[in-house]
Amino acid sequence: MDELIPSAAPFLSSAQRIAVLTGAGISTESGIPTFRDALKGHWANFDPQKLATPQAFASDPELVSRWYDQRRCECALCRPNPGHEALAQLQEMTEADGREFTLITQNVDRLHQTAGSTEVIELHGNLWVWRCVSCGKEIEEKGPAFTQYPPKCDCGGNRRPGVVWFGEALPRVEFAAAERAARRCELFLSIGTSSVVYPAAGLIESAITAGAKVVEINPEATPLSDQVEWSIRGKSGEVLPQLMKEAFGN
Ligand code: BV8
Ligand code: ZN
């Protein structure tokens, strides 16, 4: 067990306000590749950051909608891992004590919600809600793969995934709630994120500036590792259960 865990754990059970930011790394142990992991198979020679743009959708809506629908169907087969489950448990225990808990994610896979987390702030949207680019109509797609790419709205418009693409603004209400939680918290957990995509990574900096104690969990160092209280080198699916055991003894 990483020797930092015993010194960070007491704050999980004492902090009045806890905020958590997660990235692709927390879903790795559920079989979902991170943004850093090279795309496989048909998508091997595509750069995810190029596909995840309004320009890519405008120039090739069939290709981009096929990529997102494939990710939707693959994520639907994945299960939460002990990292997701530990955060759902931490929310439950914290709120049972009347303490404040805010879970903010950059992930679009909804595994936090599947693990039982509630009021999850989805900074970058999700793979299930698809929106018509003409009339704005939104429909949640829980079914099998689409039969047509891009999928069409009954108004005739193309439908796009309800995610935030590079160059697009984050949802205002969600981001304001995330900023508020980062500035108010006493303990901030940054889990499985490379801390390079903004404005999400700025939330970690806001928490540090506001004087919060920050725990980073990542097998690798990030640009913010030397600014946080505890930078724990490990997999979130292993470290989070250890932290919970150390903090709450179960
Ligand atoms: C915007 C949804 C303007 C789609 C995503 C300031 C400085 C520099 C650049 C910018 C800046 N401000 C804005 C920018 C531009 C850009 C940006 O940040 N670019 C980066 C690349 C430099 N930001 C934007 O474009 C944002 N929009 O700025 O709009 C604007 C404002 C007003 C009005 C109009 C416009 C929008 C950003 C959101 C884009 N959408 N996702 C989709 O999913 O397809 S971002 C997407 O990539 C993810 O959501 C996530 O945010 C990011 C990937 O980062 P991570 O999640 O951290 O994953 P990554 O693969 O990088 O790293 C994984 C980590 O896990 C690693 O560190 C690894 O070590 C670790 N790990 C691995 N295994 C484990 C593990 N950790 C724990 N346990 C394990 N087992
Ligand atoms: Zn429409």
mmCIF file of all heavy atoms in Angstrom, residues 56-86:
data_model
loop_
_atom_site.group_PDB
_atom_site.id
_atom_site.type_symbol
_atom_site.label_atom_id
_atom_site.label_comp_id
_atom_site.label_asym_id
_atom_site.label_seq_id
_atom_site.Cartn_x
_atom_site.Cartn_y
_atom_site.Cartn_z
ATOM 1 N N ALA A 56 -14.844 18.175 -37.591
ATOM 2 C CA ALA A 56 -14.823 16.790 -38.107
ATOM 3 C C ALA A 56 -16.248 16.339 -38.416
ATOM 4 O O ALA A 56 -16.512 15.735 -39.466
ATOM 5 C CB ALA A 56 -14.187 15.862 -37.075
ATOM 6 N N PHE A 57 -17.196 16.682 -37.523
ATOM 7 C CA PHE A 57 -18.592 16.263 -37.747
ATOM 8 C C PHE A 57 -19.170 16.960 -38.976
ATOM 9 O O PHE A 57 -19.888 16.351 -39.770
ATOM 10 C CB PHE A 57 -19.452 16.561 -36.520
ATOM 11 C CG PHE A 57 -20.873 16.043 -36.624
ATOM 12 C CD1 PHE A 57 -21.136 14.686 -36.485
ATOM 13 C CD2 PHE A 57 -21.929 16.909 -36.857
ATOM 14 C CE1 PHE A 57 -22.437 14.195 -36.594
ATOM 15 C CE2 PHE A 57 -23.233 16.435 -36.966
ATOM 16 C CZ PHE A 57 -23.491 15.079 -36.835
ATOM 17 N N ALA A 58 -18.813 18.243 -39.144
ATOM 18 C CA ALA A 58 -19.324 18.999 -40.304
ATOM 19 C C ALA A 58 -18.783 18.394 -41.596
ATOM 20 O O ALA A 58 -19.525 18.185 -42.560
ATOM 21 C CB ALA A 58 -18.919 20.464 -40.175
ATOM 22 N N SER A 59 -17.482 18.032 -41.591
ATOM 23 C CA SER A 59 -16.891 17.522 -42.843
ATOM 24 C C SER A 59 -17.213 16.049 -43.071
ATOM 25 O O SER A 59 -17.315 15.607 -44.217
ATOM 26 C CB SER A 59 -15.378 17.730 -42.825
ATOM 27 O OG SER A 59 -14.831 17.008 -41.735
ATOM 28 N N ASP A 60 -17.406 15.258 -42.028
ATOM 29 C CA ASP A 60 -17.719 13.834 -42.231
ATOM 30 C C ASP A 60 -18.636 13.299 -41.125
ATOM 31 O O ASP A 60 -18.210 12.536 -40.251
ATOM 32 C CB ASP A 60 -16.416 13.012 -42.263
ATOM 33 C CG ASP A 60 -16.664 11.611 -42.853
ATOM 34 O OD1 ASP A 60 -17.846 11.165 -42.826
ATOM 35 O OD2 ASP A 60 -15.690 10.978 -43.318
ATOM 36 N N PRO A 61 -19.934 13.711 -41.160
ATOM 37 C CA PRO A 61 -20.858 13.304 -40.088
ATOM 38 C C PRO A 61 -21.040 11.784 -40.011
ATOM 39 O O PRO A 61 -21.237 11.247 -38.908
ATOM 40 C CB PRO A 61 -22.161 14.000 -40.465
ATOM 41 C CG PRO A 61 -22.041 14.343 -41.913
ATOM 42 C CD PRO A 61 -20.582 14.581 -42.157
ATOM 43 N N GLU A 62 -20.895 11.086 -41.123
ATOM 44 C CA GLU A 62 -21.057 9.622 -41.095
ATOM 45 C C GLU A 62 -19.937 9.004 -40.256
ATOM 46 O O GLU A 62 -20.181 8.217 -39.329
ATOM 47 C CB GLU A 62 -21.056 9.068 -42.522
ATOM 48 C CG GLU A 62 -21.488 7.609 -42.556
ATOM 49 C CD GLU A 62 -20.487 6.735 -43.277
ATOM 50 O OE1 GLU A 62 -19.749 7.307 -44.119
ATOM 51 O OE2 GLU A 62 -20.420 5.524 -42.988
ATOM 52 N N LEU A 63 -18.676 9.425 -40.533
ATOM 53 C CA LEU A 63 -17.517 8.854 -39.823
ATOM 54 C C LEU A 63 -17.597 9.145 -38.324
ATOM 55 O O LEU A 63 -17.494 8.250 -37.481
ATOM 56 C CB LEU A 63 -16.226 9.467 -40.384
ATOM 57 C CG LEU A 63 -14.926 9.015 -39.720
ATOM 58 C CD1 LEU A 63 -14.457 7.700 -40.335
ATOM 59 C CD2 LEU A 63 -13.851 10.089 -39.829
ATOM 60 N N VAL A 64 -17.834 10.427 -37.985
ATOM 61 C CA VAL A 64 -17.813 10.816 -36.568
ATOM 62 C C VAL A 64 -18.971 10.161 -35.804
ATOM 63 O O VAL A 64 -18.782 9.633 -34.704
ATOM 64 C CB VAL A 64 -17.842 12.358 -36.432
ATOM 65 C CG1 VAL A 64 -18.038 12.773 -34.988
ATOM 66 C CG2 VAL A 64 -16.559 12.960 -37.007
ATOM 67 N N SER A 65 -20.170 10.143 -36.408
ATOM 68 C CA SER A 65 -21.308 9.535 -35.688
ATOM 69 C C SER A 65 -21.108 8.032 -35.546
ATOM 70 O O SER A 65 -21.500 7.451 -34.525
ATOM 71 C CB SER A 65 -22.619 9.830 -36.423
ATOM 72 O OG SER A 65 -22.562 9.362 -37.762
ATOM 73 N N ARG A 66 -20.433 7.384 -36.509
ATOM 74 C CA ARG A 66 -20.155 5.941 -36.397
ATOM 75 C C ARG A 66 -19.194 5.691 -35.235
ATOM 76 O O ARG A 66 -19.367 4.758 -34.444
ATOM 77 C CB ARG A 66 -19.548 5.459 -37.720
ATOM 78 C CG ARG A 66 -19.590 3.953 -37.952
ATOM 79 C CD ARG A 66 -18.930 3.592 -39.280
ATOM 80 N NE ARG A 66 -19.768 3.880 -40.443
ATOM 81 C CZ ARG A 66 -20.785 3.119 -40.832
ATOM 82 N NH1 ARG A 66 -21.098 2.050 -40.117
ATOM 83 N NH2 ARG A 66 -21.495 3.412 -41.889
ATOM 84 N N TRP A 67 -18.174 6.567 -35.073
ATOM 85 C CA TRP A 67 -17.194 6.406 -33.978
ATOM 86 C C TRP A 67 -17.887 6.533 -32.623
ATOM 87 O O TRP A 67 -17.706 5.710 -31.729
ATOM 88 C CB TRP A 67 -16.092 7.465 -34.114
ATOM 89 C CG TRP A 67 -15.008 7.367 -33.082
ATOM 90 C CD1 TRP A 67 -14.308 6.237 -32.727
ATOM 91 C CD2 TRP A 67 -14.465 8.414 -32.265
ATOM 92 N NE1 TRP A 67 -13.378 6.538 -31.755
ATOM 93 C CE2 TRP A 67 -13.454 7.862 -31.451
ATOM 94 C CE3 TRP A 67 -14.741 9.779 -32.156
ATOM 95 C CZ2 TRP A 67 -12.717 8.623 -30.532
ATOM 96 C CZ3 TRP A 67 -13.993 10.543 -31.254
ATOM 97 C CH2 TRP A 67 -13.002 9.959 -30.445
ATOM 98 N N TYR A 68 -18.726 7.543 -32.486
ATOM 99 C CA TYR A 68 -19.397 7.747 -31.202
ATOM 100 C C TYR A 68 -20.411 6.652 -30.911
ATOM 101 O O TYR A 68 -20.569 6.219 -29.773
ATOM 102 C CB TYR A 68 -20.035 9.144 -31.139
ATOM 103 C CG TYR A 68 -19.024 10.187 -30.755
ATOM 104 C CD1 TYR A 68 -18.380 10.962 -31.720
ATOM 105 C CD2 TYR A 68 -18.663 10.352 -29.429
ATOM 106 C CE1 TYR A 68 -17.408 11.873 -31.357
ATOM 107 C CE2 TYR A 68 -17.696 11.271 -29.056
ATOM 108 C CZ TYR A 68 -17.064 12.034 -30.029
ATOM 109 O OH TYR A 68 -16.083 12.916 -29.665
ATOM 110 N N ASP A 69 -21.080 6.148 -31.951
ATOM 111 C CA ASP A 69 -22.052 5.086 -31.698
ATOM 112 C C ASP A 69 -21.345 3.804 -31.295
ATOM 113 O O ASP A 69 -21.807 3.062 -30.417
ATOM 114 C CB ASP A 69 -22.934 4.854 -32.933
ATOM 115 C CG ASP A 69 -24.144 4.006 -32.615
ATOM 116 O OD1 ASP A 69 -24.724 4.216 -31.523
ATOM 117 O OD2 ASP A 69 -24.490 3.107 -33.406
ATOM 118 N N GLN A 70 -20.166 3.572 -31.892
ATOM 119 C CA GLN A 70 -19.378 2.383 -31.508
ATOM 120 C C GLN A 70 -18.941 2.515 -30.053
ATOM 121 O O GLN A 70 -19.056 1.568 -29.267
ATOM 122 C CB GLN A 70 -18.160 2.226 -32.419
ATOM 123 C CG GLN A 70 -17.355 0.957 -32.106
ATOM 124 C CD GLN A 70 -16.260 0.700 -33.145
ATOM 125 O OE1 GLN A 70 -16.431 1.003 -34.320
ATOM 126 N NE2 GLN A 70 -15.136 0.162 -32.674
ATOM 127 N N ARG A 71 -18.490 3.716 -29.650
ATOM 128 C CA ARG A 71 -18.091 3.919 -28.253
ATOM 129 C C ARG A 71 -19.301 3.720 -27.342
ATOM 130 O O ARG A 71 -19.188 3.126 -26.266
ATOM 131 C CB ARG A 71 -17.492 5.320 -28.075
ATOM 132 C CG ARG A 71 -16.122 5.495 -28.703
ATOM 133 C CD ARG A 71 -15.654 6.928 -28.647
ATOM 134 N NE ARG A 71 -15.518 7.422 -27.278
ATOM 135 C CZ ARG A 71 -15.267 8.703 -26.973
ATOM 136 N NH1 ARG A 71 -15.149 9.605 -27.939
ATOM 137 N NH2 ARG A 71 -15.159 9.096 -25.722
ATOM 138 N N ARG A 72 -20.477 4.227 -27.723
ATOM 139 C CA ARG A 72 -21.700 4.069 -26.919
ATOM 140 C C ARG A 72 -21.989 2.579 -26.690
ATOM 141 O O ARG A 72 -22.192 2.140 -25.556
ATOM 142 C CB ARG A 72 -22.885 4.732 -27.625
ATOM 143 C CG ARG A 72 -24.242 4.575 -26.931
ATOM 144 C CD ARG A 72 -25.362 5.231 -27.730
ATOM 145 N NE ARG A 72 -25.667 4.507 -28.957
ATOM 146 C CZ ARG A 72 -26.574 3.546 -29.062
ATOM 147 N NH1 ARG A 72 -27.265 3.175 -27.968
ATOM 148 N NH2 ARG A 72 -26.808 2.932 -30.206
ATOM 149 N N CYS A 73 -21.937 1.793 -27.787
ATOM 150 C CA CYS A 73 -22.248 0.362 -27.681
ATOM 151 C C CYS A 73 -21.189 -0.386 -26.860
ATOM 152 O O CYS A 73 -21.518 -1.273 -26.067
ATOM 153 C CB CYS A 73 -22.388 -0.231 -29.082
ATOM 154 S SG CYS A 73 -23.765 0.503 -29.991
ATOM 155 N N GLU A 74 -19.928 0.006 -27.007
ATOM 156 C CA GLU A 74 -18.853 -0.646 -26.225
ATOM 157 C C GLU A 74 -18.987 -0.301 -24.733
ATOM 158 O O GLU A 74 -18.921 -1.175 -23.865
ATOM 159 C CB GLU A 74 -17.479 -0.223 -26.755
ATOM 160 C CG GLU A 74 -17.094 -0.919 -28.060
ATOM 161 C CD GLU A 74 -15.887 -0.247 -28.746
ATOM 162 O OE1 GLU A 74 -15.357 0.749 -28.198
ATOM 163 O OE2 GLU A 74 -15.529 -0.706 -29.861
ATOM 164 N N CYS A 75 -19.263 0.971 -24.442
ATOM 165 C CA CYS A 75 -19.405 1.378 -23.030
ATOM 166 C C CYS A 75 -20.590 0.678 -22.382
ATOM 167 O O CYS A 75 -20.555 0.321 -21.212
ATOM 168 C CB CYS A 75 -19.590 2.894 -22.931
ATOM 169 S SG CYS A 75 -18.061 3.799 -23.116
ATOM 170 N N ALA A 76 -21.632 0.436 -23.168
ATOM 171 C CA ALA A 76 -22.838 -0.215 -22.620
ATOM 172 C C ALA A 76 -22.517 -1.619 -22.118
ATOM 173 O O ALA A 76 -23.207 -2.140 -21.235
ATOM 174 C CB ALA A 76 -23.918 -0.257 -23.695
ATOM 175 N N LEU A 77 -21.443 -2.217 -22.645
ATOM 176 C CA LEU A 77 -21.065 -3.586 -22.231
ATOM 177 C C LEU A 77 -20.113 -3.575 -21.042
ATOM 178 O O LEU A 77 -19.806 -4.617 -20.473
ATOM 179 C CB LEU A 77 -20.405 -4.310 -23.419
ATOM 180 C CG LEU A 77 -21.241 -4.431 -24.700
ATOM 181 C CD1 LEU A 77 -20.402 -5.001 -25.836
ATOM 182 C CD2 LEU A 77 -22.492 -5.269 -24.430
ATOM 183 N N CYS A 78 -19.618 -2.377 -20.660
ATOM 184 C CA CYS A 78 -18.622 -2.290 -19.573
ATOM 185 C C CYS A 78 -19.298 -2.132 -18.222
ATOM 186 O O CYS A 78 -20.391 -1.585 -18.129
ATOM 187 C CB CYS A 78 -17.669 -1.127 -19.845
ATOM 188 S SG CYS A 78 -16.668 -1.398 -21.316
ATOM 189 N N ARG A 79 -18.642 -2.628 -17.170
ATOM 190 C CA ARG A 79 -19.157 -2.548 -15.813
ATOM 191 C C ARG A 79 -18.288 -1.614 -14.979
ATOM 192 O O ARG A 79 -17.072 -1.522 -15.198
ATOM 193 C CB ARG A 79 -19.152 -3.941 -15.140
ATOM 194 C CG ARG A 79 -19.798 -5.054 -15.901
ATOM 195 C CD ARG A 79 -21.223 -4.799 -16.356
ATOM 196 N NE ARG A 79 -22.065 -4.246 -15.298
ATOM 197 C CZ ARG A 79 -23.033 -3.353 -15.535
ATOM 198 N NH1 ARG A 79 -23.224 -2.888 -16.749
ATOM 199 N NH2 ARG A 79 -23.766 -2.878 -14.558
ATOM 200 N N PRO A 80 -18.873 -0.944 -13.989
ATOM 201 C CA PRO A 80 -18.049 -0.121 -13.097
ATOM 202 C C PRO A 80 -16.998 -0.994 -12.417
ATOM 203 O O PRO A 80 -17.183 -2.192 -12.274
ATOM 204 C CB PRO A 80 -19.057 0.401 -12.063
ATOM 205 C CG PRO A 80 -20.393 0.250 -12.694
ATOM 206 C CD PRO A 80 -20.293 -0.923 -13.618
ATOM 207 N N ASN A 81 -15.867 -0.413 -12.029
ATOM 208 C CA ASN A 81 -14.836 -1.151 -11.296
ATOM 209 C C ASN A 81 -14.765 -0.658 -9.853
ATOM 210 O O ASN A 81 -15.480 0.297 -9.490
ATOM 211 C CB ASN A 81 -13.482 -1.007 -12.032
ATOM 212 C CG ASN A 81 -12.983 0.426 -12.041
ATOM 213 O OD1 ASN A 81 -12.719 1.007 -10.981
ATOM 214 N ND2 ASN A 81 -12.895 1.020 -13.228
ATOM 215 N N PRO A 82 -13.897 -1.287 -9.000
ATOM 216 C CA PRO A 82 -13.875 -0.912 -7.564
ATOM 217 C C PRO A 82 -13.596 0.581 -7.335
ATOM 218 O O PRO A 82 -13.985 1.137 -6.312
ATOM 219 C CB PRO A 82 -12.736 -1.788 -7.025
ATOM 220 C CG PRO A 82 -12.732 -2.990 -7.911
ATOM 221 C CD PRO A 82 -13.076 -2.468 -9.276
ATOM 222 N N GLY A 83 -12.997 1.260 -8.330
ATOM 223 C CA GLY A 83 -12.770 2.709 -8.202
ATOM 224 C C GLY A 83 -14.082 3.475 -8.237
ATOM 225 O O GLY A 83 -14.366 4.308 -7.366
ATOM 226 N N HIS A 84 -14.928 3.152 -9.229
ATOM 227 C CA HIS A 84 -16.253 3.790 -9.313
ATOM 228 C C HIS A 84 -17.065 3.467 -8.053
ATOM 229 O O HIS A 84 -17.721 4.335 -7.475
ATOM 230 C CB HIS A 84 -17.023 3.275 -10.534
ATOM 231 C CG HIS A 84 -16.402 3.560 -11.867
ATOM 232 N ND1 HIS A 84 -15.784 2.570 -12.624
ATOM 233 C CD2 HIS A 84 -16.322 4.679 -12.600
ATOM 234 C CE1 HIS A 84 -15.355 3.090 -13.758
ATOM 235 N NE2 HIS A 84 -15.668 4.371 -13.778
ATOM 236 N N GLU A 85 -17.003 2.184 -7.644
ATOM 237 C CA GLU A 85 -17.814 1.748 -6.486
ATOM 238 C C GLU A 85 -17.373 2.452 -5.199
ATOM 239 O O GLU A 85 -18.207 2.871 -4.387
ATOM 240 C CB GLU A 85 -17.733 0.214 -6.343
ATOM 241 C CG GLU A 85 -18.581 -0.513 -7.389
ATOM 242 C CD GLU A 85 -17.995 -1.853 -7.843
ATOM 243 O OE1 GLU A 85 -17.024 -2.333 -7.216
ATOM 244 O OE2 GLU A 85 -18.502 -2.393 -8.859
ATOM 245 N N ALA A 86 -16.058 2.651 -5.047
ATOM 246 C CA ALA A 86 -15.552 3.330 -3.835
ATOM 247 C C ALA A 86 -16.076 4.767 -3.771
ATOM 248 O O ALA A 86 -16.476 5.253 -2.708
ATOM 249 C CB ALA A 86 -14.024 3.328 -3.849
#
